[in-house]
């Protein structure tokens, strides 16, 4: 028997994460989170899309900031749900091609905008359709093509590419914001088309998901893909074992006919619990507070009265995010999913609490002339920035990648596209609400907005402890069995598969254990 190397699985995971986890440029998902933050304080951008104050000086109101920022998130919500239809009909690979094209069109509309705030928001909405769809397809695709021992690490690459995209946008804007014309924002925004085109061309070299191929009766193609992903011959016993295991799971999942959206919330195999868990983790992740820094960090830090250039601060945040995500590649498979989320909740909560209180009691009122700031006010601004950096670092290591890992490995093939779509749509719904309301709330209560994130992180710790089971080291079919067994989440790290699939150490042949009468009645 050949020794599987999984080199191809790793390479394709890196490529698909590169393309599918970017927001508007760079890496379709992360880049826009960063790029729009810098655009909001560029003089040419404000002149074109802002309003003129009574003093004749252009400004970008909180309402316009929220509209420009949040329209992409509104599009991502729609796209995340829409991909469930294309993923089943056209396959994972075909769906990536379709939504990448839509994303690229949206970017072109934005780049061509002159003075119309309507055009730039429509362009952001269209680009958001592609981003939202890809944000759901990527964990779906990676979860179905990754070996179980590498799945967590490969899905973390998804988050790493988001963070690299954010960092790249900050670096580009450090130079471009000094330009005195529309190139200051057109260059960083327009670069997104390049990455979209790279993804469109590269998708033709990606294999289709073997689970999808088997689910559509294309066994020969599935056998070829599994062999390629594991770098073994097609007649290797490893390929036969995986085909047999997948077919067994597919037959069990397809007994009830075509899956519906409502089935994601059925009692069958605890699907309702798994769907709610995936949606709740995405909800909590969005209200961790990190996206407030990503979206409005430049504006927020400028009002903190610090002497540092806000673009430099954002670049530091981006670099810290990249560095913080790298250890997650190791921790996700050693500490596991539960410990990562619990640890991240504690660390981020501490940072939010201190930053919020220090900012509230020490910062000068917004708009204060920097020359009038006291020593304590300057010190307060520096302290707020320091804990913002620590917050983003902790998020990147724990809450950034883990919910996406969990979402990609928690559902059976039968409902996987729809369940992942619901989780991704939840992420984007709250991303939209955060980006729309955050500047308004911060305008009213200032740094105390960070205490809202503190409360959410405390809630997140409690929720994870009582409701999120450990899925580290389990195949997608074994995750299904764990939920069926009714194991308590806090006991799940010690759980081992024992019912549906029993594996011989050498042959690893799956053995079906029939449902009990009680289990049948529950479905």
């Amino acid at each position: 028997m050949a020794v599987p190397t999984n080199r191809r699985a790793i390479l394709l995971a890196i490529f698909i994460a590169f393309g599918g986890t970017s927001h508007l440029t760079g890496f379709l998902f992360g880049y826009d989170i960063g790029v729009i933050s810098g655009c909001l304080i560029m003089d040419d951008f404000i002149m074109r899309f802002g309003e003129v104050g009574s003093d004749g000086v252009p400004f970008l109101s909180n309402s316009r900031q929220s509209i420009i920022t949040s329209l992409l998130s509104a599009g991502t919500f729609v796209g995340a749900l829409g991909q469930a239809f294309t993923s089943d009909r056209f396959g994972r690979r075909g769906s990536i091609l379709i939504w990448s094209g839509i994303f690229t069109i949206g970017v072109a509309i934005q780049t061509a905008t002159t003075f119309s705030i309507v055009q730039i928001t429509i362009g952001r909405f269209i680009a958001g359709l592609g981003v939202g769809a890809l944000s759901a397809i990527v964990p779906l695709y990676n979860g179905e093509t990754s070996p179980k021992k590498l799945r967590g690490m490969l899905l973390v690459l998804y988050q790493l590419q988001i963070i690299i995209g954010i960092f790249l946008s900050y670096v580009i804007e450090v130079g471009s914001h000094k330009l005195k014309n529309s190139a200051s924002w057109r260059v960083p925004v327009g670069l997104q088309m390049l990455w979209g085109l790279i993804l469109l061309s590269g998708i033709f070299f990606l294999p289709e998901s073997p689970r999808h191929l088997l689910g559509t009766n294309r066994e020969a193609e599935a056998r070829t893909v599994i062999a390629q992903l594991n770098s073994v011959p097609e007649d290797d016993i490893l390929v036969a074992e995986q085909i047999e295991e997948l077919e067994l799971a597919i037959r069990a999942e397809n007994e009830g006919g075509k899956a519906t959206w409502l089935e994601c919330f059925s009692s069958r195999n605890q699907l309702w619990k798994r769907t709610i868990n995936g949606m709740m983790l995405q909800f909590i992740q969005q209200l961790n507070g990190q996206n407030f820094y990503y979206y409005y960090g430049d504006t927020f830090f400028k009002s903190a009265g610090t002497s540092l250039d806000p673009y430099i601060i954002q670049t530091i945040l981006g670099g810290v995010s990249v560095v913080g995500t790298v250890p997650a590649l190791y921790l996700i498979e050693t500490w596991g999913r539960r410990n990562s989320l619990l640890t991240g909740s504690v660390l981020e909560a501490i940072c939010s609490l201190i930053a919020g209180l220090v900012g509230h009691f020490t910062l000068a009122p917004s708009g204060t002339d920097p020359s009038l700031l006291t020593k304590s006010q300057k010190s307060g601004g520096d302290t707020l920035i320091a804990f913002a950096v620590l917050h983003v670092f902790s998020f990147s290591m724990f809450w950034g990648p883990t919910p996406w890992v969990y979402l990609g490995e928690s559902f059976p093939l039968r409902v996987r596209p729809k369940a992942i779509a619901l989780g991704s749509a939840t992420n984007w719904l709250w991303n939209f609400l955060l980006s729309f309301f955050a500047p308004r709330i911060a305008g009213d209560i200032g740094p105390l907005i960070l205490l809202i994130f503190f409360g959410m992180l405390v809630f997140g710790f409690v929720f994870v402890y009582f409701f999120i089971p450990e899925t580290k080291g389990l195949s997608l079919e074994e995750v299904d069995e764990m939920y069926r067994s009714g194991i308590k989440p806090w006991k799940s790290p010690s759980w081992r598969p024992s019912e549906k699939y029993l594996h011989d150490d050498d042959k690893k042949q799956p053995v079906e254990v029939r449902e009990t009468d009680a289990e049948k009645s529950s479905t």
Side-chain angles (χ1 to χ4, degrees), residues 10-314:
I10 294 173
L11 290 175
L12 77 88
I14 291 173
F15 176 78
I16 193 63
F18 169 82
T21 62
S22 314
H23 229 185
L24 268 186
T25 185
F27 307 140
L28 311 179
F29 181 43
Y31 190 93
D32 182 71
I33 294 178
V35 79
I36 195 61
S37 176
C39 289
L40 293 177
I41 60 173
M42 290 180 180
D43 292 338
D44 187 84
F45 191 88
I46 294 173
M47 182 272 292
R48 291 173 182 272
F49 308 114
E51 305 166 77
V52 179
S54 57
D55 57 359
V57 178
F59 73 100
L60 204 58
S61 64
N62 288 337
S63 60
R64 290 208 173 195
Q65 286 186 41
S66 63
I67 290 172
I68 293 172
T69 304
S70 64
L71 256 291
L72 181 131
S73 299
T76 57
F77 174 77
V78 178
L81 294 175
Q83 68 78 31
F85 300 97
T86 61
S87 291
D88 284 336
R89 182 168 184 176
F90 301 107
R92 288 37 165 166
R93 183 171 172 269
S95 290
I96 294 173
L97 179 65
I98 292 169
W99 293 105
S100 297
I102 292 173
F103 163 80
T104 306
I105 291 171
V107 174
I109 293 173
Q110 292 176 70
T111 309
T113 307
T114 53
F115 291 92
S116 173
I117 189 173
V118 174
Q119 183 177 339
I120 197 168
T121 52
I122 289 176
R124 285 179 60 78
F125 180 84
I126 294 173
L129 293 174
V131 172
L134 291 168
S135 73
I137 298 172
V138 169
L140 171 69
Y141 184 87
N142 279 352
E144 292 181 354
T145 57
S146 305
K148 66 180 181 180
K149 290 184 179 180
L150 298 175
R151 190 176 62 242
M153 181 189 73
L154 296 181
L155 286 171
V156 170
L157 286 171
Y158 176 83
Q159 178 68 16
L160 180 59
Q161 296 300 330
I162 294 175
I163 299 302
I164 292 176
I166 293 172
F167 177 62
L168 180 60
S169 74
Y170 293 158
V171 171
I172 291 174
E173 287 185 332
V174 165
S176 72
H177 84 278
K178 296 180 180 180
L179 301 175
K180 301 303 181 181
N181 52 39
S182 64
S184 60
W185 58 271
R186 287 189 198 275
V187 169
V189 170
L191 276 174
Q192 298 170 104
M193 285 188 287
L194 173 62
W195 298 112
L197 293 173
I198 290 175
L199 180 60
L200 281 170
S201 60
I203 198 66
F204 294 102
F205 298 96
L206 291 177
E208 183 54 85
S209 158
R211 283 179 173 83
H212 177 75
L213 291 172
L214 282 175
T216 52
N217 300 315
R218 294 152 68 185
E219 181 179 335
E221 294 177 60
R223 190 177 298 277
T224 300
V225 171
I226 291 174
Q228 290 176 343
L229 291 175
N230 290 278
S231 300
V232 298
E234 287 189 34
D235 59 356
D236 191 84
I237 187 173
L238 175 68
V239 177
E241 290 168 354
Q242 291 194 18
I243 290 287
E244 185 177 359
E245 183 173 328
L246 288 173
E247 287 181 335
L248 179 62
I250 291 171
R251 284 198 300 270
E253 291 161 2
N254 290 338
E255 286 177 354
K258 188 175 181 179
T260 64
W261 288 95
L262 189 60
E263 187 175 339
C264 295
F265 299 95
S266 70
S267 60
R268 180 177 182 266
N269 293 342
Q270 298 288 301
L271 287 177
W272 70 271
K273 184 181 295 184
R274 297 152 78 165
T275 301
I276 293 297
N277 280 350
M279 295 172 68
M280 285 298 295
L281 287 182
Q282 295 294 328
F283 158 63
I284 296 168
Q285 185 208 54
Q286 282 303 301
L287 293 184
N288 266 211
Q290 81 293 336
N291 274 352
F292 175 74
Y293 295 124
Y294 289 148
Y295 279 132
Y296 302 108
D298 286 352
T299 306
F300 190 63
F301 295 138
K302 190 174 182 180
S303 67
T306 178
S307 59
L308 292 175
D309 186 325
Y311 287 98
I312 297 298
I313 298 172
Q314 284 290 79

Side-chain angles (χ1 to χ4, degrees), residues 177 472 521:
H177 84 278
K472 179 187 73 172
S521 63

Side-chain angles (χ1 to χ4, degrees), residues 454-477:
F454 165 76
M456 180 53 60
L457 287 159
V458 172
F459 168 75
F461 181 93
V462 175
F463 183 84
V464 169
Y465 184 83
F466 286 105
F467 296 102
I468 301 299
E470 182 57 69
T471 53
K472 179 187 73 172
L474 302 178
S475 70
L476 298 178
E477 289 68 39

